[in-house]
Structures are given as C-alpha cells and as structure tokens.
Amino acid sequence: DDVGLSSDTHATHVAGTMGGDGSLSGGTYQGMAPEIHIFSYNFTDSLSSYNGAIMTHGIELSNNSWGYNIAGSISNCDLYGDYAFDVPSYDQIVTGLYGKRISIIFSAGNERNDADCPGMGTAPGYPYYATIPPPATAKNVITVGAVYSNNNSMTDYSGWGPVDDGRIKPEVVAPGDQTTQDGGITSTVFQDAYGVKVGASMAAAVVSGSAALIIEDYRSLFGGADPLPSTVKDLLVHGAEDLGNMGPDFSYGYGKVDVQNSIDLLR
C-alpha cells in the first residue's frame, strides 16, 4: 500500500523479494511471503513514523535496506560500528516504544570494498572488518549480510563486524548476489517488470520475508499470538546454515538463513 510516495526501483525490487506474488512471471519470481501487506516509507522520515505504522497499520516487522553514507570525503569514517545517532531509538522501537514490539531488519551495507575510507579496498586493510554503518549496529535489530546464491560464498562488498563494542554483526546472511545465470537477484522493478540487482539490500529483503513466514506460523501454532522479536531473531539464528569458520563469526554471523529449518525448530 503506497503511503503517498513516488515509486523507486530499489524499493520496488526489495518489496518484490519480500512479498511479490510472481504473477508477471508465472510464479518464477515469487517473493518469500507473497501474502504480506506492505506499507512504504522513506528512509528520511522521522522515526516517529513508526508510531503510525505500528498503531494505525499494525505492522509486525520493518525492512530497512539502507544505511548512513560513510566516506573519507565527509570525514565520518569513525562511524563504522558506532552505537550512535538514532541507533538506541531503533532498539527501543523493537522493545515496544510505540506500544507493540516489532522485528526490525537492516542491511549490513555494501561498504567493505569501496575504499571510501583510509585502509579500505587495499592490502592490508582488505578484506576489511568493522565496516557496518549505523543504524545496522543496533543491538536488537537483525543485521543481514549478502552471499552468492549459487555457492554460498561471501560477496566482496557485504559489510562485516564486529561493531565497536565487540558484538557479532551481521547476525545472519542471505542470498544477495549470484555469479552465474542472471548475475544477481531477479525481482520486481518499476514499472510492471522484473530486473536484476545485487547487494545486502536484497539479502535483507530475503530475511524480512522469512521473518514474516515465522510470524505467520507462530500465530497458527499459538492462537493468533505474535512472537517476540527476540524469538524471531533466535529462530533465524538457530535455524541458519553455518558458513565460513565453525560457529559464529564477523563475516557470516551465525550463517545463511534457512527458514524451513527455523519453522521446523518452532514446531
């Protein structure tokens, strides 16, 4: 449902991955949770917009395929990993600031190889850790990195942890790119078409759609009750396929989301 905004190809692509019905492709490019209702906002909107989204529209989760711009040219490279600006507010929204707890999913960003800050993009700084910008550094949100869908290897751009206080980020990864076939993630683009995009934004959309499926199944099991956001995060983490180093790490987090495994754990 459009809330007075113009259409944008990036946002449309993300929305299609979350919940497109695939009707223009005969179901080939169906999204993760095709029966969801989507309410669209601008990332520049005030955080108080969450109040209306929660209390008026009754949202259960919020996908955020964006992050703050960080670059040496604007002298803010020290913001990587910071618990700063409105990050604490996102944590409070997850835990019920506006009357109901909701899951918030953030992209880990595509900063690791862009060389915008000193030491990035060249040895010894590359592969570069601690490249996740706020607000994805928040404690209660689910931060998502991007892997290649065809082989589960790490993309060369997806943001890595740790954040400044040592916490593991991202929590999980999901497909956000591909080295074969269409060379990325095919989803809806404006207008009435499909297109290919790559990035952690696309991976975050996969996890948001997966979270919606978990919420739906939880309701069916527990008489319509909603799971806590911490429960949604736990199920995504414990259902994930471990990748990279054994156990959690600062690249893959706890692994690649496997929503069927998460649902099996729930049941």
Side-chain angles (χ1 to χ4, degrees):
D1 294 327
D2 190 356
V3 187
L5 296 178
S6 60
S7 297
D8 177 84
T9 294
H10 178 273
T12 304
H13 194 279
V14 167
T17 301
M18 288 175 60
D21 65 7
S23 58
L24 291 179
S25 65
T28 300
Y29 300 123
Q30 188 178 79
M32 296 297 298
E35 294 186 11
I36 60 172
H37 295 272
I38 297 175
F39 300 91
S40 179
Y41 293 82
N42 196 308
F43 69 91
T44 59
D45 288 346
S46 167
L47 282 183
S48 62
S49 298
Y50 272 95
N51 188 32
I54 292 169
M55 301 309 294
T56 302
H57 297 301
I59 67 166
E60 300 295 340
L61 61 89
S62 169
N63 179 82
N64 294 268
S65 289
W66 66 277
Y68 291 137
N69 183 32
I70 297 179
S73 61
I74 52 178
S75 302
N76 67 348
C77 292
D78 60 334
L79 287 181
Y80 279 129
D82 270 15
Y83 193 81
F85 297 114
D86 51 9
V87 171
S89 296
Y90 278 101
D91 277 339
Q92 292 168 3
I93 292 169
V94 173
T95 55
L97 177 63
Y98 293 120
K100 183 175 75 171
R101 301 183 184 212
I102 65 166
S103 294
I104 296 181
I105 294 89
F106 260 98
S107 155
N110 307 315
E111 300 286 327
R112 203 173 84 252
N113 70 339
D114 63 10
D116 282 347
C117 291
M120 294 178 62
T122 58
Y126 179 79
Y128 199 80
Y129 285 85
T131 53
I132 295 180
T137 54
K139 299 176 181 180
N140 296 330
V141 307
I142 301 167
T143 304
V144 184
V147 295
Y148 293 109
S149 63
N150 55 298
N151 60 18
N152 288 342
S153 65
M154 177 58 62
T155 59
D156 62 358
Y157 51 78
S158 186
W160 287 356
V163 292
D164 285 358
D165 58 14
R167 282 178 290 117
I168 289 176
K169 288 284 178 176
E171 280 87 6
V172 290
V173 295
D177 206 333
Q178 189 175 28
T179 62
T180 58
Q181 296 178 320
D182 59 8
I185 304 300
T186 299
S187 184
T188 49
V189 295
F190 182 74
Q191 179 176 13
D192 294 334
Y194 293 100
V196 178
K197 288 186 177 295
V198 302
S201 291
M202 289 64 246
V206 171
V207 174
S208 292
S210 298
L213 294 176
I214 289 172
I215 293 169
E216 178 186 39
D217 205 70
Y218 189 98
R219 285 175 170 176
S220 70
L221 291 170
F222 297 104
D226 289 329
L228 294 173
S230 55
T231 301
V232 175
K233 180 188 281 191
D234 287 346
L235 287 166
L236 288 168
V237 162
H238 288 289
E241 176 188 355
D242 189 21
L243 298 174
N245 297 326
M246 184 176 294
D249 56 48
F250 297 124
S251 304
Y252 298 89
Y254 289 84
K256 188 183 77 170
V257 162
D258 182 337
V259 69
Q260 182 63 62
N261 198 28
S262 294
I263 293 293
D264 289 344
L265 286 170
L266 171 60
R267 292 179 180 177

